[in-house]
Amino acid sequence: MLISGFDSVLSDLDGVVYAGPNAIPDAVESLNALAEVNVAHAFITNNAGRSPMSVAAHLRQLGVKTSAEQVFGSADAGAEMLARELNPGSRVLVVGSPYLRECIAVRGLEVVESHKDEPVAVIQGFDPEVSWNDLAEASYAIQNGAKWVATNTDLTIPRAEGIAPGNGSLVHAVKLATGATPRVAGKPESYLFSRAADRLDSKRPLVLGDRLDTDILGGFHAGFSTAMVLTGVDTPATALGAPVEQRPNYLIATLADIYRPYPTIKVLGYGVQVGDAVARIDNGKIAVDGNESDLNAWRAACHAWWLAHPRQSTHESPEIEFTSRGLQMLRRKNGEKQ
């Protein structure tokens, strides 16, 4: 099974374990079963609105066996970043949740509410109550020379009702107003992943996430293997056209797939075979002998495209065509024995 090659799991939350208040199918059972195979686990979240205690309580309510010590969030990471750079008592304008304010205060920094208080830094994290006035205050302070740290830059966040604007959308508004660019404390930077792996004393972590530009890219930056779970934001089609640093090592439908053998990827003379699906590049397009609803067909398409484009630096949307012929017809076409 896939998980047998790893000694820990570093899992995202939104879109992987839950969407809004509700658990995603297979997630709770799969996480709890890690103990049976002696694999440690931790949660890596860009959500700066809730404390590790609150997140752990939510997870336990859903049935996940965990503790606050296993939750690594971007609010703490951002506060630590500023605390390392600023003198004790330095004024920091906080745009975000009460927990983000607490993270700043407990590290000996003074929380202020306005640019008129002359803050030396601004930290910005997601909170549903953030208003236009909060963004304006941040903009004024940054224009006056304050350092700027964003806990994360996720453009969207999965909710029970659908996909909603995330902290990155609010950060982008301030960026447009100021012309400045923040430093990012959470994903896709490597800090949270490395910190969690160190805490677990893990040498072979597997990063689980639903977003290419945060989870998968962050795992890549940390030098860890990554698996994209198809229960959240990104899809096989977006993974297909991803730049090199955002290409996952594995594509899985749900967390239950970590307990199944991952299909062998065979590079053959007539294409890349995964299961009964075969993909090949034909005049700059992807031709897939397989069904579009079969995840193996997408796995084959991804690896065929990635092999042909090993240095791709931007996201592309290659043209792809599926047939229902599958491997058996392709073998007959190539004169192979059944």
Side-chain angles (χ1 to χ4, degrees):
M1 56 186 175
L2 174 59
I3 195 61
S4 63
F6 304 96
D7 62 4
S8 74
V9 160
L10 308 181
S11 176
D12 179 44
L13 289 171
D14 289 309
V16 175
V17 183
Y18 51 66
N22 303 316
I24 287 172
D26 295 334
V28 173
E29 299 83 357
S30 298
L31 290 168
N32 287 341
L34 288 171
E36 300 174 14
V37 292
N38 296 316
V39 173
H41 72 275
F43 300 100
I44 314 296
T45 177
N46 266 350
N47 189 327
R50 296 197 293 169
S51 70
M53 292 73 73
S54 174
V55 171
H58 179 197
L59 289 169
R60 288 194 297 269
Q61 187 177 40
L62 296 176
V64 180
K65 299 173 183 177
T66 192
S67 66
E69 288 71 28
Q70 292 169 273
V71 179
F72 296 82
S74 63
D76 287 284
E80 287 180 11
M81 181 181 290
L82 285 178
R84 287 197 301 265
E85 299 177 1
L86 303 178
N87 294 324
S90 296
R91 295 177 176 179
V92 178
L93 175 62
V94 179
V95 177
S97 67
Y99 179 67
L100 184 57
R101 289 176 169 80
E102 180 184 330
C103 288
I104 291 296
V106 297
R107 287 168 173 82
L109 303 172
E110 181 182 351
V111 175
V112 299
E113 306 292 334
S114 170
H115 74 284
K116 296 178 181 179
D117 296 315
E118 299 182 347
V120 297
V122 172
I123 187 167
Q124 184 174 357
F126 179 76
D127 186 77
E129 302 302 318
V130 167
S131 67
W132 177 90
N133 187 66
D134 296 321
L135 300 181
E137 289 291 342
S139 299
Y140 303 148
I142 293 164
Q143 291 172 63
N144 289 336
K147 297 175 182 288
W148 183 22
V149 168
T151 59
N152 67 290
T153 51
D154 296 21
L155 291 175
T156 59
I157 182 171
R159 310 298 291 177
E161 300 83 358
I163 302 298
N167 193 54
S169 296
L170 304 179
V171 167
H172 190 60
V174 176
K175 185 175 180 179
L176 289 174
T178 62
T181 300
R183 288 177 299 149
V184 181
K187 298 179 285 187
E189 302 306 315
S190 63
Y191 176 76
L192 287 176
F193 297 97
S194 299
R195 184 181 177 208
D198 288 344
R199 184 77 62 85
L200 297 177
D201 195 25
S202 172
K203 306 302 181 184
R204 293 173 287 113
L206 176 64
V207 173
L208 299 174
D210 68 310
R211 298 183 65 108
L212 297 170
D213 60 352
T214 56
D215 306 315
I216 305 307
L217 180 57
F220 176 89
H221 284 158
F224 300 155
S225 295
T226 59
M228 190 179 103
V229 191
L230 304 177
T231 52
V233 173
D234 274 302
T235 66
T238 57
L240 173 65
V244 174
E245 294 181 347
Q246 297 182 30
R247 293 172 177 174
N249 298 102
Y250 308 99
L251 287 173
I252 60 177
T254 72
L255 291 191
D257 279 352
I258 65 175
Y259 298 102
R260 301 183 177 108
Y262 197 77
T264 301
I265 298 166
K266 300 178 181 178
V267 180
L268 307 171
Y270 49 78
V272 174
Q273 177 191 338
V274 182
D276 285 335
V278 175
R280 61 193 182 281
I281 307 301
D282 187 8
N283 294 322
K285 303 176 183 179
I286 307 172
V288 184
D289 294 293
N291 196 302
E292 186 174 359
S293 63
D294 180 9
L295 182 53
N296 280 338
W298 283 101
R299 288 165 171 156
C302 286
H303 284 277
W305 182 260
W306 296 347
L307 282 173
H309 300 81
R311 297 180 180 84
Q312 184 175 308
S313 60
T314 60
H315 199 286
E316 299 183 14
S317 298
E319 187 174 340
I320 183 169
E321 180 181 1
F322 293 88
T323 73
S324 59
R325 293 179 299 176
L327 181 60
Q328 300 303 321
M329 182 171 287
L330 188 65
R331 282 176 170 169
R332 288 196 293 270
K333 178 180 176 182
N334 285 274
E336 295 183 18
K337 294 182 179 181
Q338 300 298 310

